Amino acid sequence: QTGRFTLDPGFTSTASCESKITYIDGDQGTLLYRGYPIEQLAEHGDFLESCYLLLYGELPTRAEKDDFVHRVTYHTMIHDQMSSFFKGYRRDAHPMAVMTGTVGALSSFYHDSTDISDPHLRMVASLRMIAKMPTIAAMAYKYHVGQPFVYPRNDLDYASNFLHMCFAVPCEDYKVNPVLARAMDRIFILHADHEQNASTSTVRLAGSSGANPFACIAAGIACLWGPSHGGANEAALNMLSEIGSVDRIPEYVARAKDKNDPFRLMGFGHRVYKNYDPRARIMQKTCHEVLAELGHQDDPLLEVAMELEKVALTDPYFVDKKLYPNIDFYSGITLRALGFPTTMFTVLFALARTVGWIAQWKEMIEDPSQRIGRPRQLYTGYAERDYQPIDQRR
Ligand code: SDX
């Protein structure tokens, strides 16, 4: 039973499309992956199960899940020559710059799976992307902090393997904390897909020209980097750090209201949600769990975040504009507590969103009616006029 929703006549989008993957009701604060509420998937499922659901449209049976997990697990290594890629970057390069360049180059290593007309090769490319993104993200982090790369391990689950590749060092044994791994896995679920957001629309538009899936994902990573989009988790933590204490909140709230001040409350507001982002609630709960597990319940930034949320949710200015916390508001505090520097926050968003980009790209490629995207414009320039020789110009 697929619901058919007629678009509001006022609905405008440069890449409006039909999709069966994710449904958002911005007024209700509802988010469904293939009809399943995000709250239930985050509570009862795991990330690879959500990946299967987003890609194939149904929750996997036990046998289907075991097969999918096995196929992803055995694709986690990357071509060893790719490790020299990282060495071309400055050590202090932003990891999102590394991700954009490295993922874009994947097609030169895995060109055998870039024939998008072949369903089997399409799925091999999809699996490779989901499997290799944690490895590439962890290598970008290790390169950034000057530590040796840590290879993936097939005996660890997806989130544990990622944390191990990021935080293990050769000189001592590293045991992944299962509570933190579960939190990481849930954070991946929350970021997996979000219908036609800016980066997904970028991937669809790039894919509509027939570009290979690795290049399309690289385009999505580049778009996600912006502070108004995926870069907001890094910007939100930087904002909370700049505010520093509860008594400075009124100063920043006043700035957010000042039309002459470009400052915005990072992690607040959304193009679609005009109610609480359901992911933000789950992220806040996860934040408390992670801080409690680490004994950091008194993290001063959490106190600032909760007080800022309380002020914004009662201030008539924000209430009138229906500004609520979005997924990025609490994710920064959580990711920092997990051990990541702010520069890695959007990389983690891109890692998780890869499955959403791939699922949306696959849906578009498999639609026989799909054609190359071609957004139109409203021309507001000059009417036709004649060329003027340079000596006659004023
Ligand atoms: C993500 O699209 C997606 O689905 C994205 C995403 C995903 O999963 O892919 O959900 C991920 O990108 C979440 C959003 C992360 N970005 C931020 O947190 C950055 C801070 N937020 C804003 O920059 C802003 O809210 C946007 C960019 C998210 C939305 O910008 P819009 O479209 O201008 O917001 P709007 O139309 O709802 O704004 C209504 C009014 C405007 O004022 P007026 O021009 O009507 O006077 O509210 C104001 C805005 O200026 N406003 C804010 C504000 N967000 C909107 N004022 C202060 N602080 C804010 N955060």
Side-chain angles (χ1 to χ4, degrees):
Q1 166 83 17
T2 57
R4 285 192 62 79
F5 306 97
T6 47
L7 289 183
D8 173 331
F11 181 86
T12 58
S13 160
T14 53
S16 58
C17 65
E18 282 194 20
S19 175
K20 294 180 173 58
I21 299 173
T22 294
Y23 175 69
I24 300 172
D25 181 328
D27 295 326
Q28 298 301 317
T30 301
L31 171 57
L32 309 177
Y33 287 169
R34 300 285 190 177
Y36 292 97
I38 190 71
E39 295 84 352
Q40 295 180 26
L41 293 170
E43 182 67 28
H44 305 300
D46 61 44
F47 178 63
L48 284 187
E49 185 174 74
S50 282
C51 287
Y52 187 97
L53 174 66
L54 289 167
L55 285 172
Y56 298 110
E58 297 295 342
L59 287 171
T61 61
R62 166 71 57 198
E64 287 165 337
K65 182 172 178 184
D66 292 347
D67 171 62
F68 184 73
V69 169
H70 182 272
R71 286 193 287 155
V72 170
T73 302
Y74 283 81
H75 273 94
T76 47
M77 285 185 69
I78 63 172
H79 192 293
D80 209 45
Q81 205 175 326
M82 283 196 73
S83 52
S84 53
F85 238 89
F86 295 82
K87 297 187 177 69
Y89 289 92
R90 286 171 39 144
R91 282 284 180 185
D92 61 355
H94 195 293
M96 279 299 278
V98 176
M99 294 298 289
T100 308
T102 307
V103 171
L106 279 175
S107 57
S108 63
F109 289 91
Y110 300 104
H111 48 78
D112 59 328
S113 61
T114 56
D115 173 2
I116 61 171
S117 63
D118 180 330
H120 170 68
L121 295 181
R122 276 203 300 271
M123 203 21 70
V124 170
S126 306
L127 278 176
R128 278 178 162 151
M129 286 306 313
I130 294 167
K132 297 180 192 312
M133 279 298 266
T135 309
I136 294 169
M139 291 172 80
Y141 170 66
K142 283 305 206 185
Y143 184 75
H144 193 53
V145 296
Q147 290 181 359
F149 297 144
V150 173
Y151 280 87
R153 278 182 32 184
N154 294 346
D155 62 324
L156 297 177
D157 64 64
Y158 194 85
S160 301
N161 193 21
F162 175 63
L163 292 177
H164 184 266
M165 288 190 284
C166 288
F167 299 126
V169 286
C171 32
E172 59 188 24
D173 193 27
Y174 176 82
K175 280 264 175 289
V176 178
N177 178 323
V179 174
L180 302 186
R182 176 71 188 120
M184 186 82 262
D185 190 85
R186 191 185 303 147
I187 291 168
F188 288 157
I189 295 173
L190 297 179
H191 287 83
D193 191 50
H194 211 237
E195 57 127 290
Q196 307 312 315
N197 57 85
S199 54
T200 299
S201 299
T202 301
V203 170
R204 276 183 173 256
L205 208 49
S208 72
S209 74
N212 75 71
F214 304 111
C216 297
I217 299 302
I221 293 172
C223 177
L224 185 74
W225 194 359
S228 290
H229 190 12
N233 50 20
E234 179 178 352
L237 192 81
N238 292 338
M239 174 192 73
L240 292 172
S241 304
E242 186 184 325
I243 294 173
S245 63
V246 169
D247 57 346
R248 296 191 65 201
I249 287 175
E251 170 195 339
Y252 284 84
V253 168
R255 285 189 54 195
K257 296 180 191 176
D258 179 355
K259 279 296 164 208
N260 300 317
D261 188 331
F263 172 77
R264 283 192 164 184
L265 293 181
M266 302 316 281
F268 264 82
H270 200 274
R271 287 311 298 270
V272 178
Y273 288 123
K274 301 310 172 190
N275 197 325
Y276 214 100
D277 180 339
R279 303 169 298 175
R281 273 206 186 83
I282 303 167
M283 182 59 78
Q284 186 187 41
K285 177 170 166 277
T286 305
C287 183
H288 284 289
E289 287 171 6
V290 167
L291 294 179
E293 175 66 17
L294 295 166
H296 297 172
Q297 297 92 319
D298 56 355
D299 184 330
L301 291 191
L302 179 63
E303 185 192 12
V304 173
M306 293 180 73
E307 181 60 25
L308 177 57
E309 177 186 355
K310 207 188 311 175
V311 168
L313 292 185
T314 51
D315 184 302
Y317 174 87
F318 297 105
V319 172
D320 292 349
K321 292 183 184 295
K322 298 183 178 178
L323 298 181
Y324 292 85
N326 59 50
I327 188 169
D328 296 306
F329 189 60
Y330 285 102
S331 61
I333 302 173
T334 316
L335 296 175
R336 186 182 70 155
L338 285 171
F340 295 102
T342 53
T343 48
M344 277 295 290
F345 292 1
T346 311
V347 171
L348 302 180
F349 194 148
L351 188 171
R353 185 54 58 88
T354 294
V355 64
W357 288 331
I358 283 281
Q360 300 267 353
W361 166 81
K362 182 173 169 290
E363 181 180 63
M364 177 199 60
I365 291 290
E366 292 172 352
D367 173 359
S369 68
Q370 80 91 15
R371 300 163 68 197
I372 186 167
R374 182 57 175 85
R376 293 312 309 273
Q377 65 174 19
L378 181 66
Y379 177 69
T380 57
Y382 285 107
E384 186 174 347
R385 54 181 174 163
D386 294 328
Y387 179 84
Q388 277 186 317
I390 192 161
D391 300 332
Q392 293 174 21
R393 295 172 204 159
R394 294 287 164 268

